[in-house]
Amino acid sequence: MRFGVNYTPRVGWFHHWIDFDADEVARDFDAIRELGADHVRVFPLWPIFQPNPTVVSAAALGRLDRVVELAGERGLEVAVDGLQGHLSSFDLLPSWLVSWHERNMFVDENVVAATAYYLETLARTVSAHPNAFAVTVGNEVNQFTGTVHPQPHPATSVQITAWLDRMIGAIRRGAPELLALHACYDASWYDDTQPFTLEHVARHGDLSVAHSWVFNGTAQRFGPDAFETRAHARYMVEVARAFQTDPDKGIWAQELGAPRNVLPAASVPGFIEGTVEQLAQAPHLYGITWWCSHDVSRGLGDFPELEYDLGLIDEHGRIKPEGLQVRDAVAAARKAPPSAPANVIDLDLAAVGGRAGLAPGGDFWTAYMDEARRGGHPQIRLVQSNAVRAHDEVRAKEGSTADA
Amino acid sequence: MRFGVNYTPRVGWFHHWIDFDADEVARDFDAIRELGADHVRVFPLWPIFQPNPTVVSAAALGRLDRVVELAGERGLEVAVDGLQGHLSSFDLLPSWLVSWHERNMFVDENVVAATAYYLETLARTVSAHPNAFAVTVGNEVNQFTGTVHPQPHPATSVQITAWLDRMIGAIRRGAPELLALHACYDASWYDDTQPFTLEHVARHGDLSVAHSWVFNGTAQRFGPDAFETRAHARYMVEVARAFQTDPDKGIWAQELGAPRNVLPAASVPGFIEGTVEQLAQAPHLYGITWWCSHDVSRGLGDFPELEYDLGLIDEHGRIKPEGLQVRDAVAAARKAPPSAPANVIDLDLAAVGGRAGLAPGGDFWTAYMDEARRGGHPQIRLVQSNAVRAHDEVRAKEGSTADA
């Protein structure tokens, strides 16, 4: 099991791509190494890296080169996400997508071609480094579609399949040796209006990727110290696994954190320990990557309150108690080998009311959590109900490539 | 009468702030000097210069410093616009204003305070250079309000008055010795739903600023070679003058160009000559600043077709015929002194149906153009109808500061 952190630069947050300071990055990576991390996940900002559809900034790529190099010098491997896109409440989309140019990120052919060009170029840059291991399409790109976003880019699931095929294909052309991935936030697990589906999560890319945030209603509903709250990340992993078609495919808990808006200080150590322990016992878990490395400086404005305190290292560069707790929880978990699931639980998505039945407090959620509390995390067996089969047949007919 | 160009960097357009190359800027300014220009207008990109409300990028300011310096070394003076904002169909707004953060640029107190902080900082940086002469709030910031924009920031005229006072005040604090200005596109002249009014155009800032684009319906309605098309820039200047309260205040034709979507090649020389000649004869004209220095490279994608060909210098750095025509027209116009208006024409805004009556083909427009064609451009005398007086009284009561 790998352990790493999502790298949030201490000085200037991700805007460091503008005011780049290699010495600061080096200092940040030194501190991250002290956490026992073996890798960092790194986030280019799309409008900086691709200010025009035909232009990928050479200066920005050069800075990314330097970041990967600095990580390598400290024994850190690197995963890079392409389309940011969405980060900590901020949408960062290039001007050629928005307002007067209002173009659909997932459907407009010119946009899709330009985006693929960017991802291929980015992947090629990253792949030149021996310590690079993965390229992810973007951070939670499903934030940009579905029904909840203020500026949606509407798309059907069939269109998303085609889009993911293009994007993952572009990454593979640029970096044939690296893992090609995509990442969704939990609407893909819990919300039937979300066109990025659990099939997309489970079957597209070289690993399945889960991002777990207990401010999604879990901690609010069950409480900060509840079994459900500490089991949530593992649950997301098990749900994703149920939709996989390749039994050997790994699952990466690529992003999880201890948000203080729902977890009081006293609950944080237990949350960290319980979450890491349960995750680490999952068969085929690829790794855990904590969100995030560094607190957002209080000198930066307009972040939602919870975003300032998610770091394992504070804004002055000092490792926080959470940093030691995560480090120790990972070390402890590594000593206990993954355990075979104690039981099997069937999931008939149609019967539980669609993805809402998987959401916190939903019918399937409740059955799963009862079972997990009683006898350990069960394996979820997908029951191919008529509805699901029909859905899959439609996708097959439309030329979808599962496990692309 | 000053003559300059709006500086559109030859390589990478305004995205050069990311991939900055001082040598390219120096080469661009050398070519601009050959046009006979005495100044350039320079455009920072807001999301690069102020990526977070509390952060004005030191790296970006350093690059702006270098740009102003390079201009000075070539005898060019510099005007800088702050809030870009809108440029050539692209909206470039910081992430802390848009989508999830959806905040009103003109009304939200936190945004207004952050914007003022940026403008003051920018103005201070610019004012350190002896060849800087003006800071403009932003390029056509009225693009972001009114009824036509896809993502409006609604505001009343009273709110705009307060906003302009804040912004111009911020520029004055940062650069007490420089001209503090704001700039609107012609909706402020022609559209009653536009909260930036002609009073704002004429009375706020150290000069009144006009931007004239004959693709606004003028060339379409009257034809590329029509009197009206060549008279349009001068007309906008005269309308602005009518709303001034200080008889000695200058007017800057800060942005005008020869857009090929409405002007065939054969019409361009006559358009340039006629436009410059008529502008130059206006009393109190501060200067003419052509849009733009360099063609947009055909290698850049997604610009509206007309935007690629507006330069006086082509994308390879060669001066175009238009460049020589503008240079020669300015030289010729400088030999003929401004002439006193031949006649006076009254404008009662209420009587002509509001600002629509000023628009191409409107009642006042038609009367003015008939007079101008017959006896030369007249002076417009604002008739303070009851409606206008009432409006002014409301503004005075709300604490508006005319001629702030």
CSV table of all heavy atoms in Angstrom, one decimal, chain A residues 355-377:
chain,number,residue,atom,x,y,z
A,355,ARG,N,-28.7,5.2,-7.4
A,355,ARG,CA,-27.5,5.6,-6.6
A,355,ARG,C,-27.9,6.3,-5.3
A,355,ARG,O,-27.1,6.2,-4.3
A,355,ARG,CB,-26.6,6.5,-7.5
A,355,ARG,CG,-25.8,5.6,-8.4
A,355,ARG,CD,-24.8,6.5,-9.2
A,355,ARG,NE,-25.5,7.1,-10.4
A,355,ARG,CZ,-24.9,7.9,-11.3
A,355,ARG,NH1,-23.6,8.3,-11.0
A,355,ARG,NH2,-25.5,8.4,-12.3
A,356,ALA,N,-29.1,6.8,-5.2
A,356,ALA,CA,-29.6,7.4,-3.9
A,356,ALA,C,-29.6,6.3,-2.8
A,356,ALA,O,-29.4,6.7,-1.7
A,356,ALA,CB,-30.9,8.1,-4.1
A,357,GLY,N,-29.8,5.1,-3.2
A,357,GLY,CA,-29.8,4.0,-2.2
A,357,GLY,C,-28.5,3.7,-1.7
A,357,GLY,O,-28.3,3.1,-0.6
A,358,LEU,N,-27.4,4.2,-2.3
A,358,LEU,CA,-26.0,4.0,-1.9
A,358,LEU,C,-25.6,5.1,-1.0
A,358,LEU,O,-24.6,5.0,-0.3
A,358,LEU,CB,-25.1,3.9,-3.0
A,358,LEU,CG,-25.3,2.9,-4.1
A,358,LEU,CD1,-24.2,2.9,-5.2
A,358,LEU,CD2,-25.5,1.5,-3.6
A,359,ALA,N,-26.3,6.3,-1.0
A,359,ALA,CA,-25.9,7.5,-0.3
A,359,ALA,C,-26.1,7.3,1.2
A,359,ALA,O,-26.8,6.4,1.7
A,359,ALA,CB,-26.7,8.7,-0.8
A,360,PRO,N,-25.4,8.2,2.0
A,360,PRO,CA,-25.5,8.1,3.4
A,360,PRO,C,-26.9,8.0,3.9
A,360,PRO,O,-27.7,8.9,3.6
A,360,PRO,CB,-24.8,9.4,3.9
A,360,PRO,CG,-23.8,9.7,2.8
A,360,PRO,CD,-24.5,9.2,1.5
A,361,GLY,N,-27.3,6.9,4.6
A,361,GLY,CA,-28.6,6.7,5.1
A,361,GLY,C,-29.5,6.0,4.1
A,361,GLY,O,-30.7,5.6,4.5
A,362,GLY,N,-29.1,5.7,2.9
A,362,GLY,CA,-29.9,5.0,1.9
A,362,GLY,C,-30.0,3.6,2.3
A,362,GLY,O,-29.4,3.0,3.2
A,363,ASP,N,-30.9,2.9,1.6
A,363,ASP,CA,-31.2,1.5,1.9
A,363,ASP,C,-30.0,0.6,1.9
A,363,ASP,O,-29.7,-0.2,2.8
A,363,ASP,CB,-32.3,0.9,0.9
A,363,ASP,CG,-33.7,1.4,1.3
A,363,ASP,OD1,-33.8,2.1,2.3
A,363,ASP,OD2,-34.6,1.2,0.5
A,364,PHE,N,-29.3,0.7,0.8
A,364,PHE,CA,-28.1,-0.2,0.6
A,364,PHE,C,-27.0,0.2,1.6
A,364,PHE,O,-26.4,-0.6,2.3
A,364,PHE,CB,-27.5,-0.2,-0.8
A,364,PHE,CG,-26.3,-1.1,-0.9
A,364,PHE,CD1,-26.5,-2.5,-1.0
A,364,PHE,CD2,-25.1,-0.6,-0.8
A,364,PHE,CE1,-25.4,-3.3,-1.0
A,364,PHE,CE2,-23.9,-1.4,-0.9
A,364,PHE,CZ,-24.1,-2.7,-1.0
A,365,TRP,N,-26.8,1.5,1.7
A,365,TRP,CA,-25.8,2.0,2.7
A,365,TRP,C,-26.1,1.4,4.1
A,365,TRP,O,-25.2,0.9,4.8
A,365,TRP,CB,-25.9,3.6,2.8
A,365,TRP,CG,-25.3,4.2,4.0
A,365,TRP,CD1,-25.8,4.2,5.3
A,365,TRP,CD2,-24.1,5.0,4.0
A,365,TRP,NE1,-25.0,4.9,6.1
A,365,TRP,CE2,-24.0,5.4,5.4
A,365,TRP,CE3,-23.2,5.4,3.1
A,365,TRP,CZ2,-22.9,6.2,5.8
A,365,TRP,CZ3,-22.1,6.2,3.5
A,365,TRP,CH2,-22.0,6.6,4.8
A,366,THR,N,-27.4,1.5,4.5
A,366,THR,CA,-27.7,1.0,5.9
A,366,THR,C,-27.5,-0.5,6.0
A,366,THR,O,-26.9,-0.9,7.0
A,366,THR,CB,-29.2,1.3,6.1
A,366,THR,OG1,-29.4,2.7,5.9
A,366,THR,CG2,-29.6,1.0,7.5
A,367,ALA,N,-27.8,-1.3,5.0
A,367,ALA,CA,-27.6,-2.7,5.0
A,367,ALA,C,-26.1,-3.0,5.1
A,367,ALA,O,-25.7,-3.9,5.9
A,367,ALA,CB,-28.2,-3.4,3.8
A,368,TYR,N,-25.3,-2.3,4.3
A,368,TYR,CA,-23.9,-2.5,4.2
A,368,TYR,C,-23.3,-2.2,5.6
A,368,TYR,O,-22.5,-2.9,6.1
A,368,TYR,CB,-23.3,-1.7,3.1
A,368,TYR,CG,-21.8,-1.8,3.1
A,368,TYR,CD1,-21.1,-2.6,2.2
A,368,TYR,CD2,-20.9,-1.1,4.0
A,368,TYR,CE1,-19.8,-2.8,2.1
A,368,TYR,CE2,-19.6,-1.2,3.9
A,368,TYR,CZ,-19.0,-2.0,3.0
A,368,TYR,OH,-17.6,-2.2,3.0
A,369,MET,N,-23.6,-1.0,6.1
A,369,MET,CA,-23.0,-0.6,7.4
A,369,MET,C,-23.3,-1.5,8.5
A,369,MET,O,-22.5,-1.8,9.4
A,369,MET,CB,-23.4,0.9,7.7
A,369,MET,CG,-22.7,1.9,6.7
A,369,MET,SD,-20.9,2.0,6.9
A,369,MET,CE,-20.5,3.2,5.6
A,370,ASP,N,-24.6,-2.0,8.5
A,370,ASP,CA,-25.0,-2.9,9.6
A,370,ASP,C,-24.1,-4.2,9.5
A,370,ASP,O,-23.6,-4.7,10.5
A,370,ASP,CB,-26.5,-3.3,9.4
A,370,ASP,CG,-27.4,-2.2,9.8
A,370,ASP,OD1,-26.9,-1.2,10.4
A,370,ASP,OD2,-28.6,-2.3,9.5
A,371,GLU,N,-23.9,-4.7,8.3
A,371,GLU,CA,-23.1,-5.9,8.1
A,371,GLU,C,-21.6,-5.6,8.5
A,371,GLU,O,-21.0,-6.4,9.1
A,371,GLU,CB,-23.2,-6.3,6.6
A,371,GLU,CG,-22.4,-7.5,6.2
A,371,GLU,CD,-22.8,-8.8,6.9
A,371,GLU,OE1,-24.0,-8.9,7.1
A,371,GLU,OE2,-21.9,-9.5,7.3
A,372,ALA,N,-21.1,-4.5,8.0
A,372,ALA,CA,-19.7,-4.1,8.3
A,372,ALA,C,-19.5,-4.0,9.8
A,372,ALA,O,-18.4,-4.4,10.3
A,372,ALA,CB,-19.3,-2.8,7.6
A,373,ARG,N,-20.4,-3.4,10.5
A,373,ARG,CA,-20.3,-3.2,11.9
A,373,ARG,C,-20.3,-4.5,12.7
A,373,ARG,O,-19.5,-4.8,13.6
A,373,ARG,CB,-21.4,-2.3,12.4
A,373,ARG,CG,-21.2,-1.8,13.9
A,373,ARG,CD,-22.4,-1.1,14.4
A,373,ARG,NE,-22.6,0.2,13.8
A,373,ARG,CZ,-23.5,0.5,12.8
A,373,ARG,NH1,-24.3,-0.4,12.4
A,373,ARG,NH2,-23.6,1.7,12.4
A,374,ARG,N,-21.1,-5.4,12.1
A,374,ARG,CA,-21.3,-6.7,12.8
A,374,ARG,C,-20.1,-7.6,12.5
A,374,ARG,O,-19.5,-8.2,13.4
A,374,ARG,CB,-22.6,-7.4,12.2
A,374,ARG,CG,-23.3,-8.3,13.2
A,374,ARG,CD,-24.7,-8.7,12.8
A,374,ARG,NE,-24.9,-8.7,11.3
A,374,ARG,CZ,-25.8,-8.0,10.6
A,374,ARG,NH1,-26.7,-7.3,11.3
A,374,ARG,NH2,-25.9,-8.2,9.3
A,375,GLY,N,-19.8,-7.8,11.2
A,375,GLY,CA,-18.8,-8.8,10.9
A,375,GLY,C,-17.6,-8.4,10.0
A,375,GLY,O,-16.9,-9.2,9.4
A,376,GLY,N,-17.4,-7.1,10.0
A,376,GLY,CA,-16.3,-6.6,9.1
A,376,GLY,C,-16.8,-6.3,7.8
A,376,GLY,O,-17.9,-6.7,7.4
A,377,HIS,N,-16.0,-5.5,7.0
A,377,HIS,CA,-16.5,-5.0,5.7
A,377,HIS,C,-16.7,-6.2,4.8
A,377,HIS,O,-15.8,-7.0,4.5
A,377,HIS,CB,-15.4,-4.0,5.1
A,377,HIS,CG,-15.5,-2.7,5.7
A,377,HIS,ND1,-16.3,-1.7,5.3
A,377,HIS,CD2,-14.7,-2.2,6.7
A,377,HIS,CE1,-16.1,-0.6,6.0
A,377,HIS,NE2,-15.2,-0.9,6.9
